[in-house]
Amino acid sequence: PGSPVEQLEEQCRGNVGFVFTNGDLGEVRQVLESNVRPAPARVGAVAPCDVIVPKGPTGCDPGQTAFFQTLQIATKITKGQIEMTNDTHLITKGERVTASEAALLQKLNIEPFTYGMVLRSVYDNGSLFDAKVLDITDEVLAAKFIAALNTISKLSLALNHPTEASVTHSIANAFKACVAVTVELDSYTFSQADVYKKYLADPSAFAGSGGGGGGDAGGAAEEAAVEEVEEEEADVGGGIDMFGGGDGGDY
């Protein structure tokens, strides 16, 4: 009493085993759950899963037709043996196996169930956890963290309260607002806005051109300029989405 292992007392009920390891718990679980063996359906056992018998030849002689009729299974005689004409849902999960069902599965040489070890709990450093904690991988944690970060960003932006999660989006939105104002001014500009002003002044200068001498060099320069424009617009767009699609006019 009073020992950390006391909480294991309630786990020691029924057919229980302990696995001691210093290895990765996820890998240990995979090894345990992969080692299963087929098991026949025994009379009175509770079915751990649905059992569906596939249609087709059964290998039983026609004299056993009455046995299938008792189970309400549609059959026909083909090449001197009984053939099931439809897939049959024989046993439902959670129900007890009857003598007729067990006999049929034995006749068909079907072992529908499996047996093996099922991981129930994990004991580590004095704490007892449900085995479901092993389903939490690094990928799951990263996805949860990103989702929480996005939520914080949205709340911060909606409340106009800057945080580390939202500041990059605020800067991107402010940049868009500055560009929007600058392109309307003739007497002021800054280097990052120049490419936008040039594009608005003469969009045809950024269009791809074919032709003769010097065309290759000019086309390459124009293509680089277009790529720069698209790159900066894409960066700005990523920030605007966090504002719910606003155009930055409030800044």
Side-chain angles (χ1 to χ4, degrees):
S3 171
V5 298
E6 182 181 8
Q7 53 192 320
L8 295 177
E9 181 179 355
E10 293 299 322
Q11 305 297 321
C12 299
R13 299 288 188 274
N15 190 12
V16 178
F18 288 88
V19 177
F20 298 90
T21 179
N22 290 324
D24 182 85
L25 297 180
E27 294 178 358
V28 172
R29 182 178 67 167
Q30 290 179 0
V31 172
L32 293 176
E33 294 182 348
S34 64
N35 283 276
V36 295
R37 296 291 182 271
R42 302 186 183 281
V43 178
V46 177
C49 62
D50 291 339
V51 178
I52 298 176
V53 181
K55 63 181 180 181
T58 62
C60 299
D61 61 82
Q64 302 184 52
T65 303
F67 180 78
F68 288 87
Q69 292 176 343
T70 302
L71 293 172
Q72 298 181 348
I73 298 175
T75 60
K76 64 179 181 179
I77 306 302
T78 304
K79 296 182 180 180
Q81 63 175 327
I82 298 174
E83 179 178 336
M84 295 174 57
T85 57
N86 299 304
D87 292 342
T88 302
H89 192 163
L90 188 65
I91 305 174
T92 301
K93 179 180 179 180
E95 294 183 352
R96 292 191 178 277
V97 180
T98 65
S100 298
E101 294 167 345
L104 174 61
L105 293 172
Q106 185 176 4
K107 285 179 180 293
L108 301 179
N109 196 27
I110 295 176
E111 295 182 331
F113 305 144
T114 59
Y115 66 90
M117 289 184 285
V118 178
L119 193 60
R120 293 171 49 188
S121 303
V122 176
Y123 179 81
D124 185 33
N125 292 328
S127 299
L128 189 66
F129 306 98
D130 189 276
K132 292 181 179 179
V133 300
L134 298 181
D135 294 329
I136 304 175
T137 62
D138 291 342
E139 290 75 15
V140 172
L141 291 175
K144 294 292 184 182
F145 177 79
I146 292 173
L149 193 63
N150 287 337
T151 300
I152 293 174
S153 298
K154 294 175 183 178
L155 288 173
S156 300
L157 295 170
L159 297 173
N160 197 26
H161 180 76
T163 63
E164 290 186 9
S166 67
V167 67
T168 54
H169 306 294
S170 298
I171 292 173
N173 204 46
F175 172 76
K176 181 185 176 183
C178 291
V179 171
V181 173
T182 303
V183 295
E184 298 295 333
L185 300 176
D186 296 330
S187 58
Y188 176 78
T189 187
F190 57 96
S191 58
Q192 288 81 1
D194 286 342
V195 65
Y196 297 99
K197 299 188 73 171
K198 291 178 181 178
Y199 179 79
L200 292 174
D202 185 12
S204 62
F206 291 87
S209 60
D216 292 342
E222 291 169 1
E223 185 177 353
V226 172
E227 288 180 356
E228 183 180 351
V229 172
E230 291 176 348
E231 212 171 60
E232 293 194 14
E233 288 180 346
D235 291 339
V236 173
I240 304 310
D241 286 343
M242 299 304 298
F243 279 88
D247 59 5
D250 293 336
Y251 286 84

